Amino acid sequence: MNRFFQRTVGLAVIVIVLLAAGLLWWGIAVTDPPVLWEPAQLTLAGAWKILYSTELPHLGVLATAVGIALLLVLFVVISERVVAGRYRRADTEVTGLPLAPRAVMERTRGVFAGDVTVTVLIPAHNEEASLPLTLRSLQQQTSPPARVVVVADNCTDRTVAVAREHGAEVFETVGNTHKKGGALNQALQDLLPDLGDNDTVMVMDADSQIGDDFLAEAMRRFSDDRALMAVGGLFEGEEGHGLLGQFQRNEYTRYQREIRRRDGRVFVLTGTASVFRSAALRAVADARGTELPGTHGEVYDTFALTEDNELTIAIKSLGGLTISPTACSVVTELMPSWRMLWAQRLRWQRGALENLGAYGVTPQTLRYWAQQIGIGYGVLALFTYFALIILMIVAMDTWVWFPFWIGIGVLFSIERTVTVWRGGWRARIIAMLVFPELVYDCFLNLAFLRGVFEIAFGRSATWKHVDHGAEKAVVA
């Protein structure tokens, strides 16, 4: 990866976010809002006196803030629609992309490549504790996989023995130093030459369990649409881990809701469990080193910190269609401590930014750029809000209530509650209170800031092996 351009990604996010904030500041200045300060007084129960402000924020300021937000949303929606429409209709001569839907349909018209099959690859590094549940979920599928292969990478525990005891094949890596991506590359180089165009490969984590109908739904989707290149899972969090676990489950519930609202159009094919058409994986391997980052002939770019995000962008960059149907559910592990959550989210954020640096600004990456800039703007807005609250507390000798902002807070509470309704009563209570989730959001925002500044100042990223309690471990 070009190190200069990599650093530019972090700087670009910082500069664009500051420009957006400056635009809002300019909007406030030019509207010249009047400074009014005449709080009213109310006595409750004849003893408790409270001050409250009946003044509304200046409409010009509100209009400027809403206008900036709408401009960003319109840019994202229109660009996404244009890109999706272009690659669904155009053939390969127009797009130059080998996985463009029309090109795939023309190439496969009148050709029967056999029924859709699924071979499952499970990369595992010392996963003897969690592997049995993962394999059991595969045995319970309504449409079972053709093969289940555990890719044992530098294991020092009983992972290999446990896999064989549960009926799975075992592929042991040789001399792999590139973690999960390197292990999968070795297994795929052995597997892909023997697969036909209707054969698919599922890659799933050794600490996740898929719903009973996952494979049946994926096979149906691939059978109905020859142009579909990948089917991802919609993940939800496992039970347990107290309040921190509930925060993560709420976050995943909202993500599921968003993908349902988008009819399965997914940002990232989750690394916990996704199924790929073999033709898509071969096309990615062929394009590595030329059209795509990475080493020619390898499916996974071993320099990517977040291999699922990178592979999603790679398939989309070749014109491939992806989807995450509701029926493809995955239960995945949660981070049991704040320290492990920090390591996980820092890797996600840093990896996403590095992938943007590797691919640059293309029609396929516009959505991802907008996502990172939107997160950055949200971080600035949230911490500015907290700073203003602290400033008001320090500057005033009494407390003044603002009915307008309390109303906004109530609407926000309702939105938080409705969006996690499917998560049960515990999820709703936490969401309704708003402030606990604000603390959680601040934590995630700090991880985002750390990722942005690390990449902007050229600090090297590293993989961390995080201990996951006494029973199992995960790569985070």
Side-chain angles (χ1 to χ4, degrees), residues 137-361:
S137 75
L138 290 169
Q139 293 165 353
Q140 293 172 347
Q141 291 297 298
T142 54
S143 293
R147 296 174 63 188
V148 177
V149 182
V150 173
V151 182
D153 181 43
N154 298 317
C155 293
T156 56
D157 65 353
R158 295 188 67 253
T159 295
V160 172
V162 168
R164 288 181 173 142
E165 288 168 4
H166 288 78
E169 301 175 41
V170 176
F171 178 93
E172 294 190 67
T173 60
V174 178
N176 176 45
T177 58
H178 295 293
K179 308 293 182 183
K180 180 179 176 181
L184 286 170
N185 279 337
Q186 288 191 12
L188 287 167
Q189 285 173 354
D190 181 72
L191 177 68
L192 282 179
D194 297 327
L195 297 183
D197 285 345
N198 268 354
D199 296 323
T200 65
V201 178
M202 166 179 262
V203 177
M204 72 175 295
D205 285 345
D207 47 33
S208 301
Q209 299 90 48
I210 59 175
D212 293 348
D213 296 324
F214 190 118
L215 293 186
E217 178 67 12
M219 294 165 75
R220 185 184 71 79
R221 296 272 181 167
F222 282 120
S223 298
D224 292 348
D225 186 355
R226 300 198 308 276
L228 183 62
M229 289 296 125
V231 175
L234 275 183
F235 53 86
E236 56 189 80
E238 63 182 356
E239 288 298 318
H241 306 307
L243 183 60
L244 180 59
Q246 191 60 55
F247 285 148
Q248 294 173 78
R249 282 190 289 277
N250 281 13
E251 182 186 7
Y252 294 166
T253 299
R254 290 195 179 94
Y255 179 74
Q256 287 184 346
R257 188 174 186 275
E258 184 176 359
I259 299 302
R260 287 193 188 93
R261 186 169 54 81
R262 292 167 50 85
D263 295 327
R265 295 193 303 275
V266 67
F267 305 125
V268 178
L269 294 163
T270 174
T272 54
S274 292
V275 189
F276 304 92
R277 201 180 284 276
S278 60
L281 297 180
R282 280 194 285 266
V284 169
D286 289 341
R288 293 282 185 206
T290 51
E291 294 98 326
L292 301 176
T295 303
H296 181 72
E298 294 184 344
V299 173
Y300 286 90
D301 179 9
T302 54
F303 290 97
L305 276 176
T306 48
E307 69 286 335
D308 49 355
N309 176 270
E310 199 279 337
L311 186 57
T312 304
I313 299 177
I315 292 175
K316 288 184 176 180
S317 295
L318 296 180
L321 296 181
T322 64
I323 193 170
S324 288
T326 304
C328 293
S329 62
V330 188
V331 177
T332 188
E333 67 163 5
L334 301 176
M335 295 297 104
S337 70
W338 292 98
R339 182 178 65 85
M340 294 182 189
L341 181 65
W342 175 267
Q344 181 197 53
R345 298 311 170 92
L346 183 59
R347 183 172 76 88
W348 287 4
Q349 294 293 352
R350 178 67 187 266
L353 292 168
E354 287 190 356
N355 290 336
L356 291 181
Y359 281 83
V361 181

Side-chain angles (χ1 to χ4, degrees), residues 437-460:
E437 286 198 314
L438 274 181
V439 174
Y440 178 71
D441 289 341
C442 286
F443 182 84
L444 301 186
N445 289 339
L446 288 173
F448 171 82
L449 284 178
R450 173 75 180 271
V452 169
F453 282 104
E454 275 191 356
I455 197 170
F457 291 100
R459 295 180 182 172
S460 299

Side-chain angles (χ1 to χ4, degrees), residues 314-473:
I315 292 175
K316 288 184 176 180
S317 295
L318 296 180
L321 296 181
T322 64
I323 193 170
S324 288
T326 304
C328 293
S329 62
V330 188
V331 177
T332 188
E333 67 163 5
L334 301 176
M335 295 297 104
S337 70
W338 292 98
R339 182 178 65 85
M340 294 182 189
L341 181 65
W342 175 267
Q344 181 197 53
R345 298 311 170 92
L346 183 59
R347 183 172 76 88
W348 287 4
Q349 294 293 352
R350 178 67 187 266
L353 292 168
E354 287 190 356
N355 290 336
L356 291 181
Y359 281 83
V361 181
T362 69
Q364 291 81 13
T365 60
L366 278 178
R367 180 65 178 79
Y368 298 92
W369 278 98
Q371 183 184 40
Q372 294 301 315
I373 292 168
I375 294 173
Y377 192 73
V379 170
L380 184 62
L382 182 60
F383 285 116
T384 302
Y385 166 75
F386 285 134
L388 290 175
I389 292 291
I390 294 172
L391 184 63
M392 187 181 74
I393 293 173
V394 172
M396 299 176 61
D397 57 0
T398 186
W399 186 269
V400 179
W401 297 91
F402 294 86
F404 176 83
W405 292 112
I406 291 175
I408 295 294
V410 171
L411 288 177
F412 192 62
S413 174
I414 294 172
E415 185 272 339
R416 296 278 86 188
T417 306
V418 169
T419 52
V420 297
W421 195 261
R422 297 169 64 95
W425 65 270
R426 286 178 295 186
R428 297 167 199 158
I429 290 175
I430 294 297
M432 183 175 60
L433 296 175
V434 177
F435 285 99
E437 286 198 314
L438 274 181
V439 174
Y440 178 71
D441 289 341
C442 286
F443 182 84
L444 301 186
N445 289 339
L446 288 173
F448 171 82
L449 284 178
R450 173 75 180 271
V452 169
F453 282 104
E454 275 191 356
I455 197 170
F457 291 100
R459 295 180 182 172
S460 299
T462 58
W463 283 72
K464 292 182 179 178
H465 188 81
V466 179
D467 292 333
H468 196 276
E471 294 184 346
K472 57 183 181 179

Side-chain angles (χ1 to χ4, degrees), residues 39-159:
Q41 180 172 308
L42 176 67
T43 302
L44 296 177
W48 186 23
K49 293 182 180 179
I50 63 172
L51 295 176
Y52 66 97
S53 173
T54 59
E55 301 157 6
L56 293 175
H58 192 267
L59 293 180
V61 175
L62 290 179
T64 302
V66 173
I68 292 173
L70 287 178
L71 278 177
L72 179 61
V73 171
L74 284 175
F75 170 75
V76 172
V77 171
I78 292 174
S79 61
E80 194 171 37
R81 295 278 180 183
V82 169
V83 171
R86 171 180 169 81
Y87 294 117
R88 277 180 172 82
R89 291 191 295 269
D91 57 26
T92 189
E93 285 74 20
V94 175
T95 65
L97 304 177
L99 299 181
R102 187 173 170 185
V104 173
M105 297 298 282
E106 290 179 354
R107 194 164 57 238
T108 59
R109 182 174 293 118
V111 178
F112 179 63
D115 295 328
V116 172
T117 69
V118 180
T119 296
V120 181
L121 296 183
I122 307 174
H125 173 69
N126 292 343
E127 300 285 0
E128 64 170 326
S130 59
L131 192 55
L133 286 178
T134 303
L135 295 173
R136 199 168 301 149
S137 75
L138 290 169
Q139 293 165 353
Q140 293 172 347
Q141 291 297 298
T142 54
S143 293
R147 296 174 63 188
V148 177
V149 182
V150 173
V151 182
D153 181 43
N154 298 317
C155 293
T156 56
D157 65 353
R158 295 188 67 253
T159 295

